[in-house]
Amino acid sequence: MIVEPKVKGFICTTAHPEGCRESVRRQIEYVKSKGSIEGAKNVLVIGASTGYGLASRITMAFGAGAATLGVMFERESNGKKTATPGLYNTRAFEKYAEEEGLYAKTINGDAFSRDIKNQVIETIKADMGKVDLVVYSLAAPRRTMEDGTVYQSVLKTTGEPFTNKNWNLGTNTLCEATIEPATKEETEATVKVMGGEDWMDWIRALKSADAISEGAVTIAYSYIGPVITYPIYYNGTIGMAKKHLLESSKKINEEYKDSGIKAYVSVNKALVTQASSAIPVVPLYFSILYRVMKDMGIHEGCIEQMDRLFKDKLYTDNVELDREGQIRMDDWEMCADVQEKVKEIWDSVNDDTFKNVADIDGYWEDFYHMFGFKYDNVDYTADVDIM
């Protein structure tokens, strides 16, 4: 089949297997070029198929030589429709790992479920003994509980309606977007889906099964962002979930202090992901930020962030934390020089200046790369096996 991108709003409904393979290859080559990491050797990545989760797995496998077990929730191809990009990413990762003699297995299913947790634990016990790093990088729109209750996350404010500049990805034009406030029930549901409850469930399940090492590290990913996006992010429903994630890290540390298990939250840089593309107002900020950070020579993608996280921030003698107890990988994004320039552009941007002051091409390049498209060394006119 000849596979072309089919974009609807903030999502692409097709994925290119060879393009996804190229994406993984480039990330592996970057990690190798940066030298080895003295870190964990048995790694579990929950949410391992795209974005920061995939980059974490690649970094630990090809930087630290770690055995990795991944959990994903991806759709296989039925022969008529392509698989999801995370499926192609993972198959490519596993092949590259196998070529270098690295253990790499992946379990495909709902990470929230008891069944998948049991499958993971059985695999760890059989193949790895215990894990010494657990990466929690789950981004899901909904969560089904054991009793069948379904919680759905929402992208809303938690106070007044919020109106601000917005980039309409469908028309590639500027407009205004208004985000309505969530109900109490919607906020609570978002915390259930995107907060730290399931992260804690995973650590408890691993500990109860004696599948996690004494002194192990677990890390989850968060985002704060600038004041511009506070109403929709930091003070919105997602922000409430991320605050719960931070509180969960403190509970894990307290609960397992006798075992030496350490839980961290890493506040990462703003990057184009399948999750972030769906948030109103945010893509415009991202595109302006990209332009500013690229002009300053300090832009990073997922793989650059994760390599720096594990090499310079996490596996060091003293893990540097902010006053809330978080690792700040957004340190370059949030530095005063960057934010002052971003705000200057944000305040003045309009339809006439948008294409000159925002990195539209860079945003769309990252967007298409997520689905395996727009790589200059991939022949997109060729027939590919989507199975």
Side-chain angles (χ1 to χ4, degrees), residues 40-190:
K41 295 303 178 185
N42 291 314
V43 179
L44 169 63
V45 182
I46 303 158
S49 56
T50 61
Y52 280 122
L54 174 63
S56 300
R57 191 176 191 186
I58 290 171
T59 299
M60 293 309 297
F62 293 92
T68 62
L69 175 61
V71 181
M72 66 178 181
F73 200 10
E74 301 290 346
R75 185 191 72 237
E76 300 267 3
S77 170
N78 62 5
K80 297 179 179 179
K81 294 182 178 179
T82 67
T84 49
L87 192 287
Y88 293 137
N89 291 338
T90 300
R91 295 294 176 256
F93 169 84
E94 290 174 338
K95 185 175 186 301
Y96 284 123
E98 180 184 8
E99 288 173 355
E100 300 209 9
L102 295 168
Y103 174 95
K105 282 190 179 179
T106 310
I107 293 174
N108 192 6
D110 183 0
F112 291 122
S113 72
R114 171 55 54 185
D115 178 57
I116 292 300
K117 289 180 174 69
N118 289 340
Q119 287 185 46
V120 166
I121 288 168
E122 289 170 6
T123 304
I124 291 170
K125 300 284 280 185
D127 297 353
M128 307 165 87
K130 298 180 183 182
V131 291
D132 47 4
L133 171 64
V134 179
V135 175
Y136 190 83
S137 184
L138 206 59
R142 67 189 61 83
R143 176 184 179 186
T144 302
M145 308 299 288
E146 295 297 320
D147 64 1
T149 303
V150 178
Y151 291 99
Q152 184 88 28
S153 64
V154 297
L155 303 169
K156 293 185 177 183
T157 69
T158 56
E160 298 298 316
F162 172 62
T163 300
N164 210 324
K165 297 174 183 178
N166 184 53
W167 176 16
N168 186 319
L169 297 178
T171 62
N172 228 14
T173 58
L174 290 188
C175 58
E176 277 195 341
T178 297
I179 300 96
E180 297 297 329
T183 65
K184 179 184 177 186
E185 291 74 21
E186 286 175 323
T187 300
E188 291 173 349
T190 304

Side-chain angles (χ1 to χ4, degrees), residues 85-321:
L87 192 287
Y88 293 137
N89 291 338
T90 300
R91 295 294 176 256
F93 169 84
E94 290 174 338
K95 185 175 186 301
Y96 284 123
E98 180 184 8
E99 288 173 355
E100 300 209 9
L102 295 168
Y103 174 95
K105 282 190 179 179
T106 310
I107 293 174
N108 192 6
D110 183 0
F112 291 122
S113 72
R114 171 55 54 185
D115 178 57
I116 292 300
K117 289 180 174 69
N118 289 340
Q119 287 185 46
V120 166
I121 288 168
E122 289 170 6
T123 304
I124 291 170
K125 300 284 280 185
D127 297 353
M128 307 165 87
K130 298 180 183 182
V131 291
D132 47 4
L133 171 64
V134 179
V135 175
Y136 190 83
S137 184
L138 206 59
R142 67 189 61 83
R143 176 184 179 186
T144 302
M145 308 299 288
E146 295 297 320
D147 64 1
T149 303
V150 178
Y151 291 99
Q152 184 88 28
S153 64
V154 297
L155 303 169
K156 293 185 177 183
T157 69
T158 56
E160 298 298 316
F162 172 62
T163 300
N164 210 324
K165 297 174 183 178
N166 184 53
W167 176 16
N168 186 319
L169 297 178
T171 62
N172 228 14
T173 58
L174 290 188
C175 58
E176 277 195 341
T178 297
I179 300 96
E180 297 297 329
T183 65
K184 179 184 177 186
E185 291 74 21
E186 286 175 323
T187 300
E188 291 173 349
T190 304
V191 172
K192 274 282 187 184
V193 177
M194 302 180 70
E197 185 176 77
D198 184 61
W199 183 24
M200 293 182 66
D201 287 347
W202 270 99
I203 301 305
R204 286 170 179 156
L206 292 165
K207 181 62 178 168
S208 295
D210 195 27
I212 186 170
S213 302
E214 301 282 307
V217 170
T218 182
I219 190 163
Y221 298 139
S222 186
Y223 181 67
I224 293 176
V227 173
I228 294 169
T229 63
Y230 269 17
I232 185 60
Y233 205 101
Y234 185 66
N235 291 328
T237 52
I238 303 176
M240 297 302 105
K242 295 304 185 183
K243 291 178 178 71
H244 187 273
L245 191 74
L246 177 59
E247 290 306 309
S248 299
S249 71
K250 296 174 182 177
K251 290 179 181 178
I252 293 170
N253 285 328
E254 179 62 28
E255 195 168 325
Y256 298 108
K257 61 183 178 182
D258 291 341
S259 301
I261 295 173
K262 291 293 295 178
Y264 298 101
V265 168
S266 174
V267 180
N268 295 341
K269 172 183 178 285
L271 285 172
V272 180
T273 65
Q274 292 185 44
S276 67
S277 298
I279 307 172
V281 179
V282 167
L284 176 58
Y285 166 73
F286 282 15
S287 66
I288 294 172
L289 178 73
Y290 272 32
R291 170 55 56 85
V292 171
M293 294 189 75
K294 286 179 180 179
D295 287 349
M296 296 174 71
I298 55 173
H299 176 71
E300 292 176 310
C302 286
I303 196 65
E304 291 87 358
Q305 278 264 290
M306 293 301 94
D307 186 81
R308 186 161 68 94
L309 168 64
F310 291 116
K311 187 179 280 118
D312 298 343
K313 300 273 191 174
L314 189 62
Y315 288 110
T316 59
D317 293 335
N318 294 296
V319 179
E320 183 180 343
L321 305 174

